[in-house]
Amino acid sequence: MKRIKILAIVGSLRKDSYNRQLALAAKKILDNRVDFSILEYQDVPLMNEDIEFPAPEAVRRVREEVKSADGIWFFTPEYNHFFSGVLKNLIDWLSRPISDEEQNVLWGKPAAISGASLGMSGTGLAQDHLVTLISFLNMDVMNVPRVVIPNVMEQLDSDGRLALKESYPFLEEQANAFVDFIEKRIMCREKVASGN
């Protein structure tokens, strides 16, 4: 089987956000097994049908990155009991059909969700809202296991970086489960394509 590609989408644009650090920790866990990259989308404009066709260059770029990935791993903060506006804007662009022949690029993609927050909910509410949205877009969501990290300040090192003391085993379990989840979907598709 070919080396799988996981694309991480972080719901915060802050360069040192805790969720970006969480994505980098997941990348470190899986580095020897998969191609893992983080989507950069700071240049994606606000969704506006006046500029939808032809799509802006930034939108075309992120669509291609999502399209070429075997799985999408969302790392979401929680803002006011919801996921972030920048993440919603990105998904709005990704949800639009590319052409009359092609569905949106999220259609059928395996998805995992993790998140870290300062508060006690640990992004659980944001994750549930995100599942509602991406399920509607027909993503193939791995609901179990998910990683929810509350009170993230308790898991920082002396430099204020995410150290993942108590949460590391849960992230490792989710990472391994997501790779298995994707591999099973690839094998099913290949079986169907070969007619077996």
Side-chain angles (χ1 to χ4, degrees), residues 113-131:
I113 305 175
S114 300
S117 73
L118 299 173
M120 291 179 63
S121 75
T123 76
L125 292 166
Q127 289 189 31
D128 286 344
H129 289 304
L130 184 55
V131 166

Side-chain angles (χ1 to χ4, degrees), residues 122-193:
T123 76
L125 292 166
Q127 289 189 31
D128 286 344
H129 289 304
L130 184 55
V131 166
T132 299
L133 175 58
I134 65 177
S135 296
F136 170 72
L137 298 174
N138 201 40
M139 293 194 81
D140 187 2
V141 183
M142 184 184 79
N143 272 305
V144 178
R146 283 200 236 158
V147 170
V148 176
I149 302 176
N151 305 315
V152 71
M153 300 293 282
E154 295 175 4
Q155 295 198 55
L156 304 183
D157 63 20
S158 57
D159 296 321
R161 306 287 299 173
L162 190 62
L164 284 183
K165 301 159 192 166
E166 295 85 1
S167 298
Y168 184 85
F170 299 105
L171 184 66
E172 188 173 41
E173 179 188 7
Q174 187 186 30
N176 291 326
F178 193 39
V179 171
D180 292 343
F181 187 82
I182 295 168
E183 286 176 343
K184 284 176 185 165
R185 267 94 190 134
I186 291 172
M187 285 192 303
C188 285
R189 284 200 305 270
E190 289 174 349
K191 200 171 182 180
V192 169

Side-chain angles (χ1 to χ4, degrees), residues 43 54-62:
D43 53 344
E57 174 54 36
V59 172
R60 289 200 299 271
R61 176 181 52 78
V62 296

